[in-house]
Amino acid sequence: MSSILQLQEVLETAIKNLKFPENPKQLYDPITYIINLGGKRVRPLLVLMATELFGKDANHSINAAMAIEVFHNFTLVHDDIMDNAPLRRGKATVHEKWSTNTAILSGDVMMVEANKNLAKVNPVFLKDVLDTFNATAQGVCEGQQLDMEFEERNDVSIDEYIDMIRLKTAVLLGGALKLGAIIGEASEKDADLIYQFGENIGIAFQLQDDILDVYADPEKFGKQVGGDIIANKKTFLLLKALELAEGKNLELLNSLIKLKEFAVNEKVEAVTQVYDALNIRNIAKETMNAYLNKALNLMKQINVSDEAKANILDLTSQLMARQY
Amino acid sequence: MSSILQLQEVLETAIKNLKFPENPKQLYDPITYIINLGGKRVRPLLVLMATELFGKDANHSINAAMAIEVFHNFTLVHDDIMDNAPLRRGKATVHEKWSTNTAILSGDVMMVEANKNLAKVNPVFLKDVLDTFNATAQGVCEGQQLDMEFEERNDVSIDEYIDMIRLKTAVLLGGALKLGAIIGEASEKDADLIYQFGENIGIAFQLQDDILDVYADPEKFGKQVGGDIIANKKTFLLLKALELAEGKNLELLNSLIKLKEFAVNEKVEAVTQVYDALNIRNIAKETMNAYLNKALNLMKQINVSDEAKANILDLTSQLMARQY
């Protein structure tokens, strides 16, 4: 089995070797740009790790890993248009740097490039790989749609929120792992277990993001602490607070959400105080841990040695240990 | 072999049976809407016909035909955003009826739905089918990119224009035919010939569109004659006129293009007079016929009976006989 670092090197080489046509330049330059903005490459890493989990060479699933990475970057380009986001990883988003039309069309051709990489997979696995990839891609689109709809709604329940983040972010982790498992010749049962593992850690990761947005160490966080509060983003924390708050706290929270003009720090502090009064941080952590534990239980059921599981569990721990 | 009408019925039933999830409604309603705006279904029809051309049952390629039709509708939804088009087949475009974000995301999920249909193809053909489909989809994106770039350029050559329409519209006809041929178990050589046939008739069709836009019978055309002239669209006719015009005609054409305010009919009439003086209509017809004849020669080389070729040639004649 390779070390995580070795797999990351394999990935960086493969990403560097992704070749796109030179022309039309305006169509292909944005692809190289967005892919080279970096990121942790967690999703393609999970593809490779899942193949090794079942005792096969990670190189077998490198094309599927590239498909997942290119697809993920495609969703970033289109989501950034829809979310009107000026920055991605501290750099101009594609629609800002080029234009909205370029971002739409380069995104579209990235989806094609993802599928081209997928088609390179050993034909023996192709049908299963396509079905898994397409189901994943569809889930991600549905998640983005729900996320946009939730912005306009004031009655989003916690269950709906969990289902939205499951679709928007967790199915892609599950899908990445399942692709790797299929190519690793896992049994159908084990492929399904690793998919479920991925979905559950995905939800745990997103809940962690929600918590960190409010409670991260500002020195280490790299972005504005309380960004979600400033934007009234319907995170687990806000939805749970709205569910639990009564009387004065509920009044205060509602008035804070409705403020049109405010001093950023004061709003963040005031909302955080309501959260603290309602014990929201701990409730969110408990929910996060419940998903994490569910994931770990699923992993236990997978029919391979503990040694084979070490990499995926190490990566999971590393990602869950973030304090910023 | 089925009649064209029979194949069209098979298609309409299959289109009616396309099932999309019910939720999120905002994501899937636009798909049903755009697909049910109608259209001649030429592309999926070509898929089925190409399968029959090689003696196999058209039902074998119905999923590939659906993939092509859904993909085509996806390009319409995204192109309409990019072209800022308010109407499509006389009805509101998706981004007008819903929103740009909905049109982006529903388009994205249509691409996934196209791929889901494609994955249902007999696994024996899957790898070839995917490679053909992905190359086609990539060409279509490149064509749209070039089309947008040409709007900003004043030095587009006829060769560049032909290459743009080849990518934007003709490769999809070629790709549709090739998919049908692969599933019809055509030899590699015949599959390539039918692809080339499709590309060449596709270019001929687009040149015909360019001609009809200026010279169609206004009573039958169903849209404004001279729409391309009003919009200064760089069609074959305008590019050829700019290439051939000299002296007074060139001056006149350039001044007509630069007009900011004009009576629509007067501009159309004046530009048409320049075209007439330069014999542009006939030159365009000759070019169109050259592509049509090239296509027919390619068809001759395909190693099946004339009887088997009758449907595709009939459809081609019907489409080329349009006077409006």
Side-chain angles (χ1 to χ4, degrees):
Chain A
M1 201 167 71
S2 319
S3 69
I4 295 182
L5 272 174
Q6 282 171 326
L7 291 177
Q8 279 169 328
E9 274 171 34
V10 169
L11 279 178
E12 287 309 321
T13 304
I15 287 167
K16 219 175 289 168
N17 287 337
L18 283 174
K19 287 279 172 282
F20 307 106
E22 290 206 357
N23 289 300
K25 228 174 125 48
Q26 278 254 70
L27 184 63
Y28 292 109
D29 279 359
I31 307 185
T32 313
Y33 173 79
I34 185 83
I35 288 182
N36 289 312
L37 286 186
K40 293 188 294 290
R41 317 291 190 197
V42 171
R43 293 157 196 83
L45 193 56
L46 290 175
V47 177
L48 302 186
M49 283 176 164
T51 299
E52 288 202 339
L53 177 66
F54 296 100
K56 298 295 182 295
D57 191 326
N59 285 308
H60 294 184
S61 60
I62 191 70
N63 290 314
M66 291 301 100
I68 284 287
E69 182 64 8
V70 174
F71 171 79
H72 174 58
N73 278 276
F74 145 73
T75 66
L76 299 182
V77 171
H78 277 195
D79 284 5
D80 283 343
I81 305 172
M82 294 182 247
D83 302 342
N84 216 353
L87 295 176
R88 162 73 56 191
R89 291 177 186 136
K91 296 278 171 69
T93 46
V94 169
H95 66 97
E96 280 287 327
K97 192 173 163 73
W98 283 272
S99 68
T100 298
N101 282 354
T102 297
I104 293 173
L105 197 58
S106 289
D108 290 346
V109 88
M110 286 173 85
M111 180 71 158
V112 178
E113 289 288 346
N115 279 297
K116 281 171 68 180
N117 277 284
L118 211 60
K120 293 183 200 161
V121 162
N122 185 336
V124 175
F125 309 120
L126 199 48
K127 166 75 176 149
D128 272 1
V129 158
L130 288 174
D131 288 345
T132 297
F133 182 81
N134 291 332
T136 301
Q138 179 153 21
V140 173
C141 291
E142 291 180 357
Q144 171 66 9
Q145 175 66 33
L146 292 176
D147 195 16
M148 293 195 299
E149 287 180 16
F150 287 4
E151 278 178 36
E152 311 297 320
R153 282 177 49 191
N154 288 314
D155 59 350
V156 178
S157 71
I158 292 279
D159 282 355
E160 285 180 305
Y161 176 73
I162 296 284
D163 195 50
M164 183 276 284
I165 63 174
R166 183 183 68 77
L167 289 163
K168 182 163 172 165
T169 74
V171 297
L172 188 52
L173 304 189
L177 286 163
K178 189 171 176 185
L179 286 182
I182 291 167
I183 297 167
E185 299 179 50
S187 69
E188 207 174 305
K189 191 184 162 198
D190 280 346
D192 190 53
L193 284 167
I194 195 77
Y195 176 85
Q196 297 296 336
F197 168 84
E199 260 201 24
N200 283 284
I201 55 163
I203 294 169
F205 288 160
Q206 184 57 52
L207 292 175
Q208 177 179 241
D209 272 356
D210 288 1
I211 297 166
L212 286 175
D213 189 83
V214 179
Y215 293 105
D217 180 340
E219 306 254 311
K220 297 182 184 164
F221 194 45
K223 54 182 177 177
Q224 166 106 46
V225 170
D228 290 344
I229 292 176
I230 296 162
N232 283 337
K233 195 148 197 292
K234 295 183 186 81
T235 65
F236 182 89
L237 281 69
L238 178 56
L239 294 171
K240 198 70 194 176
L242 285 167
E243 184 188 307
L244 296 181
E246 293 176 335
K248 249 176 53 185
N249 274 328
L250 183 58
E251 243 173 74
L252 179 56
L253 196 53
N254 276 322
S255 68
L256 286 165
I257 292 171
K258 285 188 194 116
L259 284 177
K260 295 279 178 219
E261 287 182 32
F262 51 84
V264 159
N265 288 342
E266 283 174 27
K267 180 174 173 183
V268 172
E269 203 173 309
V271 172
T272 307
Q273 274 171 10
V274 177
Y275 288 173
D276 289 345
L278 298 165
N279 199 27
I280 297 296
R281 184 184 189 174
N282 284 329
I283 295 170
K285 273 197 173 176
E286 277 165 26
T287 308
M288 175 185 83
N289 283 327
Y291 282 100
L292 180 61
N293 287 331
K294 196 174 165 201
L296 297 176
N297 275 325
L298 288 156
M299 180 61 95
K300 272 191 196 141
Q301 299 169 52
I302 294 177
N303 194 20
V304 301
S305 71
D306 286 352
E307 210 190 344
K309 295 175 183 171
N311 265 348
I312 293 178
L313 292 175
D314 280 356
L315 181 68
T316 305
S317 302
Q318 281 175 32
L319 292 169
M320 291 304 302
R322 280 196 307 143
Q323 296 299 323
Y324 49 88
Chain B
M1 203 165 72
S2 320
S3 69
I4 295 182
L5 273 174
Q6 282 172 326
L7 292 177
Q8 280 170 327
E9 275 171 34
V10 169
L11 279 178
E12 286 311 320
T13 305
I15 287 166
K16 219 174 290 167
N17 287 337
L18 283 174
K19 287 277 172 285
F20 307 107
E22 292 206 357
N23 289 302
K25 229 174 125 48
Q26 279 255 69
L27 184 63
Y28 291 109
D29 279 358
I31 307 186
T32 312
Y33 173 78
I34 185 83
I35 288 182
N36 288 312
L37 286 188
K40 293 188 294 293
R41 318 292 190 195
V42 171
R43 294 156 196 83
L45 192 56
L46 291 174
V47 178
L48 301 187
M49 283 177 162
T51 299
E52 287 202 340
L53 176 66
F54 297 99
K56 298 293 181 297
D57 190 326
N59 285 309
H60 294 183
S61 60
I62 191 70
N63 291 313
M66 290 302 99
I68 284 288
E69 182 65 9
V70 174
F71 171 78
H72 174 58
N73 279 276
F74 145 73
T75 67
L76 299 181
V77 171
H78 277 195
D79 285 4
D80 284 343
I81 306 172
M82 293 182 247
D83 301 343
N84 216 355
L87 295 176
R88 163 73 55 191
R89 293 177 182 135
K91 296 279 172 66
T93 46
V94 169
H95 65 97
E96 279 289 326
K97 193 173 160 73
W98 282 272
S99 68
T100 298
N101 282 354
T102 297
I104 293 173
L105 197 57
S106 289
D108 290 345
V109 87
M110 286 174 85
M111 179 72 157
V112 179
E113 289 287 347
N115 279 299
K116 280 170 67 180
N117 277 284
L118 212 61
K120 292 182 200 162
V121 162
N122 184 334
V124 176
F125 309 121
L126 198 49
K127 164 75 175 149
D128 272 1
V129 159
L130 288 175
D131 287 346
T132 297
F133 182 82
N134 291 332
T136 301
Q138 181 153 20
V140 173
C141 290
E142 290 180 359
Q144 170 67 7
Q145 175 66 33
L146 292 176
D147 195 17
M148 293 196 300
E149 287 180 14
F150 287 4
E151 278 178 36
E152 310 297 321
R153 282 177 50 192
N154 288 314
D155 60 349
V156 179
S157 71
I158 293 280
D159 282 355
E160 285 180 306
Y161 176 71
I162 297 285
D163 195 50
M164 183 276 282
I165 62 175
R166 185 183 66 78
L167 289 162
K168 181 162 173 165
T169 76
V171 298
L172 188 52
L173 304 189
L177 286 162
K178 190 172 176 184
L179 286 182
I182 291 167
I183 297 166
E185 299 180 50
S187 69
E188 207 174 307
K189 191 184 163 200
D190 280 346
D192 190 52
L193 284 166
I194 197 75
Y195 176 85
Q196 297 296 336
F197 168 85
E199 260 202 24
N200 282 284
I201 55 164
I203 295 170
F205 289 160
Q206 184 57 51
L207 292 175
Q208 178 180 242
D209 272 357
D210 288 2
I211 297 167
L212 286 175
D213 189 82
V214 179
Y215 293 105
D217 181 341
E219 305 256 309
K220 297 180 184 165
F221 195 46
K223 53 183 176 176
Q224 167 106 46
V225 169
D228 290 345
I229 291 176
I230 296 162
N232 284 336
K233 195 147 197 291
K234 294 184 187 83
T235 67
F236 182 89
L237 282 69
L238 178 56
L239 294 172
K240 198 69 190 176
L242 285 168
E243 185 188 307
L244 296 180
E246 291 178 334
K248 249 176 52 185
N249 274 330
L250 183 59
E251 241 173 72
L252 179 56
L253 195 54
N254 275 323
S255 68
L256 286 165
I257 292 170
K258 283 186 196 118
L259 285 177
K260 296 278 178 220
E261 287 181 31
F262 51 83
V264 160
N265 289 342
E266 283 173 28
K267 180 174 173 182
V268 171
E269 205 174 309
V271 172
T272 306
Q273 275 171 11
V274 177
Y275 287 174
D276 290 344
L278 297 165
N279 200 27
I280 295 297
R281 184 184 189 173
N282 285 328
I283 296 170
K285 272 195 171 175
E286 277 166 27
T287 308
M288 174 185 82
N289 283 326
Y291 282 101
L292 179 61
N293 288 331
K294 198 175 163 199
L296 297 176
N297 277 324
L298 288 155
M299 180 61 95
K300 274 192 194 135
Q301 299 170 51
I302 295 177
N303 194 20
V304 301
S305 70
D306 286 352
E307 209 191 343
K309 292 174 184 173
N311 265 350
I312 294 179
L313 292 174
D314 280 356
L315 181 68
T316 305
S317 303
Q318 281 175 31
L319 292 170
M320 291 304 302
R322 281 195 306 144
Q323 296 300 322
Y324 49 89

